[in-house]
Amino acid sequence: MSVEKAESAAVRVIWRGPVFHYDLRWYGSDDFIVPVWWIGLTHRETEEMAHTDVFHPSAVAGDVFHWLLNLVGPDVAGRLHSLIEAELSLQAAAAQGLQNGRRDGRRRRRRTSGRTGARSGR
C-alpha cells in the first residue's frame, strides 16, 4: 500500500479527543485505482502514531460508520461520521456554487453581447 499525502485526500476530518487525535481521510478519485478510507490515531500528549487502519467501502450505506464503530467506539464514530457529513455537504455546496457561477457567467455574457448587438443594429 502506498502512503498518500494528506493534501491528496478528497475528504479529511480531524477530531481531537481527550486521549487520541483522530485523522480520517477519504482517498477516492480518478487517480486512485482502489478508493479507501484511512484513519490514524495519534496519542494526544506524545503525538506518536498509535494505530492506523484502512477500509475499502462497498455499496452498502452506513459501512463507514460501522467500520468506525468497531474501531473507535460509538462516541468517536458518531463525531467523525458527523464531521464527514458536514464536510461532504460543504463540498457539495461549493461544487453547486461553482456550477451556478459558470451558468450565471454564461448568461451574463450572452445578455451583454445581445444588448450590444441590438444597440449596434439601431
Side-chain angles (χ1 to χ4, degrees):
M1 181 179 131
S2 66
V3 177
E4 299 293 336
K5 294 180 182 178
E7 297 83 29
S8 63
V11 174
R12 183 178 186 197
V13 296
I14 297 172
W15 184 69
R16 300 182 193 294
V19 178
F20 295 106
H21 293 169
Y22 302 87
D23 184 353
L24 180 61
R25 305 174 193 173
W26 166 247
Y27 293 102
S29 70
D30 294 339
D31 297 339
F32 294 94
I33 297 170
V34 180
V36 66
W37 283 97
W38 176 90
I39 190 167
L41 285 67
T42 307
H43 283 283
R44 183 179 180 138
E45 293 191 18
T46 65
E47 296 186 15
E48 290 180 14
M49 185 66 71
H51 184 77
T52 63
D53 201 25
V54 295
F55 174 67
H56 301 282
S58 68
V60 179
D63 275 354
V64 175
F65 178 75
H66 292 294
W67 169 64
L68 290 171
L69 185 65
N70 292 328
L71 186 66
V72 296
D75 292 337
V76 175
R79 290 177 190 262
L80 290 171
H81 197 261
S82 293
L83 290 170
I84 291 168
E85 288 178 337
E87 178 63 23
L88 291 174
S89 293
L90 287 172
Q91 288 184 11
Q96 186 65 38
L98 284 174
Q99 211 172 36
N100 289 342
R102 288 185 198 133
R103 288 182 190 147
D104 291 344
R106 287 185 201 127
R107 286 184 190 138
R108 281 188 203 115
R109 276 186 245 125
R110 287 183 189 142
R111 287 182 194 144
T112 302
S113 60
R115 287 183 195 139
T116 304
R119 285 184 192 146
S120 63
R122 289 183 183 177

